[in-house]
Amino acid sequence: ELAVRKLGQNSLDAPILAELGDKAETPVSQFRAFLAENRGSSEWFIFYLRGKDGNLWAVDASWHSGSRSWYVNANSVTSPSGWDDGYRVFSRNS
């Protein structure tokens, strides 16, 4: 099961990961199921997924209504760019 938090201010990955602790990483299977169930959403979503390289990645997803498809992008959690106020951050609930 997934927990969701809405960012109340702009943030970088480091403080988000510190707050989420060991619940930050979401299994790829749950990420895929979430995308399948939430087509058409107007919100931006952030997940932390383990890559094939063994590293943790910040993965953002947003629905593009024109192309009727998800836009998904993966960024290193050490990237200096951050996330905007209002994005939804997902983590494991248990």
Side-chain angles (χ1 to χ4, degrees), residues 1-2 4 8 11 14 17 24 30 33 39-41 46-47 54 60-62 64-65 73 76 88 90:
E1 186 158 323
L2 295 174
V4 61
S11 185
L17 290 169
Q30 285 185 315
R39 290 187 168 109
S41 175
I46 305 166
F47 291 82
D60 61 292
S62 64
H64 285 237
S65 58
N73 186 50
S76 169
R88 303 277 195 276
F90 285 82

Side-chain angles (χ1 to χ4, degrees), residues 30-45 47 61-72 90:
Q30 285 185 315
F31 173 69
R32 286 180 168 207
F34 174 85
L35 294 182
E37 294 170 7
N38 288 277
R39 290 187 168 109
S41 175
S42 62
E43 298 172 311
W44 283 82
F45 304 104
F47 291 82
S62 64
W63 180 259
H64 285 237
S65 58
S67 62
R68 299 183 45 82
S69 63
W70 284 101
Y71 168 78
V72 177
F90 285 82

Side-chain angles (χ1 to χ4, degrees), residues 71-85:
Y71 168 78
V72 177
N73 186 50
N75 301 292
S76 169
V77 294
T78 60
S79 172
S81 60
W83 305 107
D84 293 337
D85 173 28

Side-chain angles (χ1 to χ4, degrees), residues 4-9 19 43 84-90:
V4 61
R5 294 165 182 83
K6 183 177 179 180
L7 290 179
Q9 62 185 15
E19 183 175 330
E43 298 172 311
D84 293 337
D85 173 28
Y87 279 35
R88 303 277 195 276
V89 180
F90 285 82

